[in-house]
Every structure is written in C-alpha cells, then in structure tokens.
C-alpha cells in the first residue's frame, strides 16, 4: 500500500513541480491509479530473453524484493503499550500482551540487521544485470553494485555516531536514548552524520541524483532493461520499499522515531492514545522523508559516474569517519 | 523440538548449497550457492541465540566479500570450468585433506558425546553485542589490534599494487634519477680534473 501510494504521490508531486497535472483519470484525483497499474503489470506478457541465464534471471527480482521487505520485522512502529493485566493466562502467554511492543521482532542488533539485509539486496541488482545477457543490463548491474558497495561504507560510518551516543544497536533502544538525551533528537548533535546518511541513502536506493544504474540517456533502463511485466513490477516495488526502509532508518536514528516531545504530558506514556498519536507521528515523519525524495528527484540533475565515485570515496567517507572520531572524543569527555 | 527441526532445515540447506557450490560448472552459480551457505549458517547462529554473529556473518561475508567475488566474475565473464587434465596429483591431495577433515569431524562428535551435558542458558548474553565488545576490548585486545594492523597493511598493499604513476610523475622520477647520475658523473669529472 505504501509503495502504491508513494508511486502515486511521486507522479503527482513531479507533476506539480513540472507544471503538469499528474494522473487524474482513475478514481477521484487518481487514487485508484496504482491498482490499475498493478493490474496492467500482471496482465502484460512476460518476456524472457532467449540467451538469459534462466534460473538466476528468475531469482534476481525475488532476491531484490525479499531483501527490501525483510527489514520491516525490526521497525519500531510505536511505543510499548501497557494494556489491562493479562498475566492470568498460563505459561506466561499474557506477558507479551500486557506490555505489547509495536515491533514484530525485538532483536538487540536491529541497526546491523537492517544494514545486513539491505547489503544483500545488491545481489538482486547485480544478478539481474548479469543474467539478462545484455550489455545495458550488465553495465547497469555493475554500476549499481559498485555504487552500493561504496556508499554502504559511508552509510555505516555515519550511523556509528548515533550508535555511540545511544550506546545500543537496538532500534527501540536508540529511540529511548533520544528521549532521555538533552537534545531530544540526535539530528542536533549528529548533524554531520545526518547529512552524510541522507546522501548515502539516496545513493543506496539508486535514486536521483545518483540513479546512474538506470540512466535512461545512456543505459536504456539499466539492470532491468530485459525485465517485463510482473518481474519488472517486483524490482519497481523493491526500489520503493527500499526508499521506505531508508526513511524509517533516518527517522529512527536522527528524528526520534515515534517520539513526540511533550506528548507524555497530555497522555500517559504506555496508554493506547499515546501509542496511536506516536504511531501517526512516526508515519508522518516517514512521509516527510518520502516527500523529500520526490522533491529532490524533481529538482536535481544526475551526477556523472566518476563524479559519483570520487564524491563517495574522497569526500563522503572521510567526512563520516571524521564525524566518528569527533563523536568518540566528545563522548569520552562527557563520560569522564 | 522446533529448534531441532529448524536446525536440520538450515543445516540441510547449507549442505545442499555447499555441494552445489563445489559441483557447479558455472563460477557464478558457485558464488550464489556460497551465499546460500552463508545465509543458512547465519540462520543457525540465530537459533543458537547469537544474533550479533548471525548479522555480522551476513553483513561481511554475504554483503561485502561475496559481492566483490560476483563483481569480479561478472567483469571477467569467466567461461565454464573445464575438467582439469593436468595437475592430476591434486585429486590425491584433496582426497587426503578430505579424509583428515572427516577424522576431525568424527573427533568432534566423539568429544561432544563425551562432554558433560550442560544445558545452555539462552538468557546469558554470550552472543550479544555488549559481551562481544567487552571481550574484544579487554581479554582479546592484542589479537584485535594485530588483526587491525594486518588489515591496514593489506589495504596499503592493495593501494600500492594498483597505483598507476601519472605520466608527469613518472617523468619527474626519471628526471631526478638522470640528474643524480649526471651529478655523479660531473663529480667524477671534477676529481679527475684536479
């Protein structure tokens, strides 16, 4: 659903930015457009290139979408809700319901988990480019894997500062650390890390201005040139889910996740209205980031590939490492 | 019960991927199979209450190293492996090594069977990031530092190996060499003159 409406929002906002109307035929304001598109994707003929490596050709879009969807299990969608006492249930079954965390799986290395799964997502693109046996696909696949490997480093290094300030790798733990910290949101002490993370995130998700792997003017459509119908739709969905993932990470790490300052005075923390408002705030922050993505796409031109690599290795990575060292020094002096 | 079933599921997957990795003729298929092995292993780590190791396994092996391997395979566009006609003696060496590995595995089985049965307490933080970090920076500080320095050496070595001298720089180096020789010759001449 989020994917569908991000696509629609993207087309609408791009329309406004470029002085057009955008989709407006299917349903009022085009709200049913994504479903029409999906139906079209399903009904189109599925072409498989003759000389492709069949097994990997089928595997690649599945890998891409699976790796995009997997991080959802660790997102902190809201605070822990304390409901009525369910502890009368046998075998401790009630504990999970009495204090209901709005996260599917609580693992204490959530940040690393998201990074690991997204790094596996590179395979989807690289294998897609290789297996379609076409020069445009191969170039697109190579470019995108090179780009994702390079920017992953800067991204990881930019997160380190937040992890050091929070002292935990757990996504919920990072949010609680932000609530108790004097700045409330880590974007203030970690502004360098935030900017580096944002730029690296744009590159990781292959979006404008770093959408070299699918630069239409030189590579037709990059790694998914040879993909059609539902397989193409899977890649398309993976891209938008990745945007969502990166936005969630940005919100959780730098903008306090679901936390709304001052909300604890209106509702009691742990109550259901508190959780509901927090959850809405969380989604709202994510939407703001998704809007930023679209906005940037509508306004910025594309980089050249050597510029992209130079920027990633010679500027972004040193800045991120410098931020890490700075944070180490500050944290050391604050603790001593 | 569920743990055992999961273990056999993932272990079976890992073994199947490993066998496929060795037997595939196409190097890319082999690489993808190896990724499958890594993923299955990390699933086993999760069931052993070591999420940190599991995630790091995927992050480093599957996410970084194997991507580079696949990258190289894609760039070189390797042909399918042909069975070797020369280097026959390697079969004997491989067989010997395999036998040693089998004996080792048997020994591990034996040791495990003989060991006193201690139920593992999963609430212990053996595999969690905090305990790993503390162990790395207190008890195992020296190995960590040594590994770090070795990695640094490897990076510098890699950079030096692939470094290309700029044409201008090359000329400068050659020029200074020539100048040195020239000076020495002049010195020699000077001495001869006096």
């Amino acid at each position: 659903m989020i994917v569908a409406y991000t696509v629609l929002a993207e087309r609408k906002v791009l329309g406004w930015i470029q002085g057009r109307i955008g989709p407006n035929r299917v349903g009022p304001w085009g709200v049913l457009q994504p479903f029409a598109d999906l139906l079209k994707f399903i009904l189109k003929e599925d072409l498989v290139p003759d000389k492709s490596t069949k097994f990997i050709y089928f595997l690649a879009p599945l890998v891409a979408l699976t790796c995009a969807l997997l991080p959802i299990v660790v997102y902190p969608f809201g605070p822990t809700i304390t409901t009525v006492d369910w502890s009368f249930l046998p075998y401790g079954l009630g504990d999970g319901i009495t204090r209901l965390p709005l996260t599917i799986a609580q693992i204490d290395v959530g940040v690393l988990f998201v990074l690991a799964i997204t790094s596996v997502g590179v395979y989807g693109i690289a294998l897609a480019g290789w297996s379609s046996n076409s020069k445009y696909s191969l170039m697109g696949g190579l470019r995108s894997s090179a780009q994702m490997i390079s920017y992953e480093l800067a991204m990881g290094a930019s997160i380190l500062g937040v992890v050091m300030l929070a002292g935990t790798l757990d996504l919920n733990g990072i949010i609680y650390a932000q609530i108790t910290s004097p700045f409330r949101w880590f974007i203030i002490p970690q502004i360098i890390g935030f900017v580096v993370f944002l730029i690296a995130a744009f590159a990781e998700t292959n979006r404008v201005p770093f959408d070299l792997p699918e630069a239409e003017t030189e590579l037709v459509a990059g790694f998914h040139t040879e993909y059609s119908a539902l397989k193409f739709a899977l890649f398309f969905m993976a891209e938008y889910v990745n945007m969502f993932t990166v936005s969630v990470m940005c919100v959780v790490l730098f903008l306090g996740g679901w936390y709304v300052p001052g909300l604890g005075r209106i509702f009691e923390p742990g109550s259901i209205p508190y959780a509901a408002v927090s959850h809405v705030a969380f989604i709202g922050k994510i939407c703001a980031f998704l809007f930023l993505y679209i906005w940037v796409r509508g306004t910025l031109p594309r980089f050249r590939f050597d510029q992209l690599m130079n920027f990633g290795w010679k500027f972004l990575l040193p800045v991120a490492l410098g931020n890490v060292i700075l944070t180490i020094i500050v944290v050391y002096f604050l603790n001593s | 019960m569920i743990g055992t079933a999961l273990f056999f599921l993932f272990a079976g997957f890992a073994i199947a991927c490993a066998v496929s990795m060795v037997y595939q003729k196409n190097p890319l298929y082999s690489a993808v199979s190896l990724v499958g092995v890594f993923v299955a292993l990390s699933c086993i780590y999760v069931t052993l209450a070591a999420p940190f190791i599991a995630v790091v396994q995927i992050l480093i092996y599957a996410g970084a190293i194997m991507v580079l391997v696949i990258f190289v395979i894609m760039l070189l566009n390797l042909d399918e492996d042909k069975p070797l006609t020369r280097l026959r003696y390697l079969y004997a060496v491989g067989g010997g090594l395999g036998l040693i590995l089998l004996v080792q595995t048997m020994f591990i089985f034996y040791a495990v069977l003989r060991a006193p049965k201690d139920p593992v307490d999963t609430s212990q933080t053996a595999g969690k990031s905090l305990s790993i970090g503390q162990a790395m920076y207190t008890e195992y500080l020296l190995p960590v530092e040594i590994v770090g320095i070795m990695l640094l050496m490897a990076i510098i070595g890699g950079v030096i190996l692939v470094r290309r001298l700029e044409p201008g720089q090359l000329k400068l180096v050659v020029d200074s060499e020539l100048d040195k020789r020239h000076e020495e010759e002049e010195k020699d001449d000077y001495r001869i003159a006096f």
Side-chain angles (χ1 to χ4, degrees):
Chain A
M1 280 300 280
I2 280 171
V3 172
Y5 280 98
T6 314
V7 177
L8 180 69
E10 169 147 23
R11 292 176 63 182
K12 274 287 189 192
V13 173
L14 272 184
W16 292 332
I17 289 176
Q18 297 166 355
R20 298 183 282 115
I21 301 173
N24 63 347
R25 295 286 146 172
V26 189
W29 303 290
V31 281
L32 295 176
Q33 182 72 38
F35 299 101
D37 286 343
L38 185 64
L39 209 61
K40 199 176 85 176
F41 273 133
I42 295 172
L43 295 177
K44 285 275 178 181
E45 184 185 356
D46 194 0
L47 293 168
V48 178
D50 210 17
K51 290 198 170 170
S52 63
T53 316
K54 296 284 182 309
F55 178 67
I56 293 190
Y57 182 81
F58 282 105
L59 188 68
L62 298 181
V63 171
L65 187 64
T66 312
C67 294
L69 287 175
L70 259 183
I72 290 178
V73 295
V74 294
Y75 294 161
F77 286 107
T80 305
I81 305 173
T82 314
T83 51
V84 273
D85 197 13
W86 284 80
S87 53
F88 57 85
L89 285 177
Y91 307 119
L93 274 176
D95 295 348
I97 310 175
T98 313
R99 292 181 51 77
L100 184 70
L102 289 184
T103 314
I104 299 173
Q106 293 259 28
I107 58 175
D108 73 332
V109 285
V111 177
L112 285 182
F113 180 81
V114 175
L115 281 184
I117 300 296
T118 47
S119 74
V120 175
V122 183
Y123 286 111
I125 291 171
L127 293 180
W130 185 82
S131 66
S132 355
N133 212 348
S134 131
K135 52 181 180 255
Y136 299 122
S137 303
L138 185 63
M139 288 306 295
L142 281 179
R143 273 189 182 185
S144 115
S145 14
Q147 177 180 335
M148 286 168 93
I149 296 170
S150 315
Y151 278 77
E152 224 159 61
L153 292 173
M155 196 166 171
S158 66
I159 291 177
L160 274 183
V162 170
V163 172
M164 271 186 284
L165 282 184
T168 173
L169 286 166
D170 179 16
L171 291 174
N172 261 318
I174 287 176
I175 293 176
Y176 283 115
Q178 293 185 64
I179 294 173
T180 50
S181 84
F183 293 109
R184 293 293 184 241
W185 286 358
F186 278 158
I187 186 174
I188 301 164
Q190 283 293 319
I191 183 72
I192 306 173
F194 174 71
V195 172
V196 171
F197 182 86
L198 203 61
I199 296 172
F202 275 93
E204 273 287 294
T205 46
N206 293 330
R207 295 283 301 178
V208 176
F210 302 109
D211 64 338
L212 272 303
E214 36 196 285
E216 300 92 353
T217 40
E218 30 190 308
L219 288 180
V220 190
F223 62 89
H224 55 61
T225 309
E226 303 291 341
Y227 280 87
S228 52
L230 203 59
K231 291 204 205 65
F232 170 73
L234 291 185
F235 275 122
F236 201 64
M237 274 159 70
E239 184 183 329
Y240 281 87
V241 176
N242 275 331
M243 275 167 64
F244 180 71
T245 301
V246 166
S247 306
V248 169
M249 288 296 279
C250 227
V251 167
V252 168
L253 294 176
F254 296 102
L255 291 184
W258 39 259
Y259 175 63
V260 182
L263 193 67
R265 289 197 203 109
I266 307 169
F267 301 113
E268 189 193 342
S271 63
I272 289 175
Y274 179 79
V277 175
S278 299
H279 182 66
V280 170
F282 183 64
I283 297 294
K285 287 174 188 176
I286 292 169
C287 288
F289 268 103
L290 291 175
F291 177 74
L292 181 72
Y293 264 98
I294 301 165
W295 191 10
V296 167
R297 178 176 171 187
T299 44
L300 283 186
R302 187 179 294 133
F303 272 69
R304 221 171 51 222
F305 195 64
D306 57 325
Q307 288 173 336
L308 172 94
M309 280 309 188
N310 278 339
F311 182 69
W313 285 101
K314 293 184 182 162
F315 178 74
L316 218 52
L317 189 60
V319 168
L321 290 179
N323 180 44
V324 169
I325 293 170
L326 197 72
T327 317
I328 290 176
I329 295 170
V330 171
V331 168
Y332 179 78
F333 279 109
L334 282 183
N335 286 352
S336 65
Chain B
M1 184 55 215
I2 296 173
T4 320
L6 282 178
F7 172 78
F8 277 109
L9 180 70
F10 295 134
F13 185 64
I15 291 171
C17 282
V19 169
S20 132
M21 187 208 100
V22 176
Y23 276 95
Q24 287 290 349
K25 291 270 193 297
N26 189 327
L28 196 82
Y29 279 151
S30 289
V32 173
S33 309
L34 192 54
V35 175
V37 175
F38 289 144
V39 172
L41 281 185
S42 92
C43 292
I44 292 180
Y45 290 143
V46 171
T47 60
L48 293 176
F52 184 79
I53 298 173
V55 166
V56 167
Q57 164 99 5
I58 289 197
L59 192 65
I60 292 176
Y61 282 104
I65 294 177
M66 285 315 291
V67 168
L68 285 182
V69 170
I70 286 190
F71 208 67
V72 171
I73 293 173
M74 279 164 70
L75 273 177
L76 295 180
N77 219 349
L78 291 176
D79 286 335
E80 298 210 338
D81 243 0
K82 305 213 167 41
L84 286 175
T85 46
R86 58 204 179 81
L87 299 176
R88 286 265 175 195
Y89 68 94
L90 281 181
Y91 284 110
V93 176
L97 285 176
L99 212 62
I100 293 175
L101 198 65
L102 197 67
V103 172
Q104 271 186 345
T105 320
M106 290 300 176
F107 178 74
I108 292 171
F109 270 125
Y110 174 75
V112 168
L113 284 181
R114 289 292 300 275
K117 289 231 165 76
D118 254 347
V120 180
D121 184 10
T122 44
S123 64
Q124 264 186 345
T125 54
K128 299 213 166 146
S129 36
L130 183 69
S131 54
I132 288 177
Q134 273 172 349
M136 265 171 61
Y137 285 100
T138 52
E139 206 177 338
Y140 301 104
L141 183 62
L142 190 64
V144 168
E145 292 291 329
I146 290 174
V147 167
I149 289 176
M150 275 171 67
L151 284 177
L152 185 67
M153 274 156 57
I155 293 173
I156 294 173
V159 169
I160 286 177
L161 279 181
V162 299
R163 185 186 56 159
R164 245 177 305 172
L165 281 178
E166 300 282 320
Q169 225 180 334
L170 198 66
K171 200 165 152 249
L172 272 181
V173 173
V174 173
D175 280 354
S176 66
E177 281 289 311
L178 283 180
D179 282 350
K180 260 189 211 159
R181 280 186 206 169
H182 208 65
E183 273 174 23
E184 278 171 12
E185 277 169 19
E186 270 185 7
K187 261 186 205 162
D188 288 347
D189 288 350
Y190 188 70
R191 261 186 236 144
I192 290 166
F194 276 84

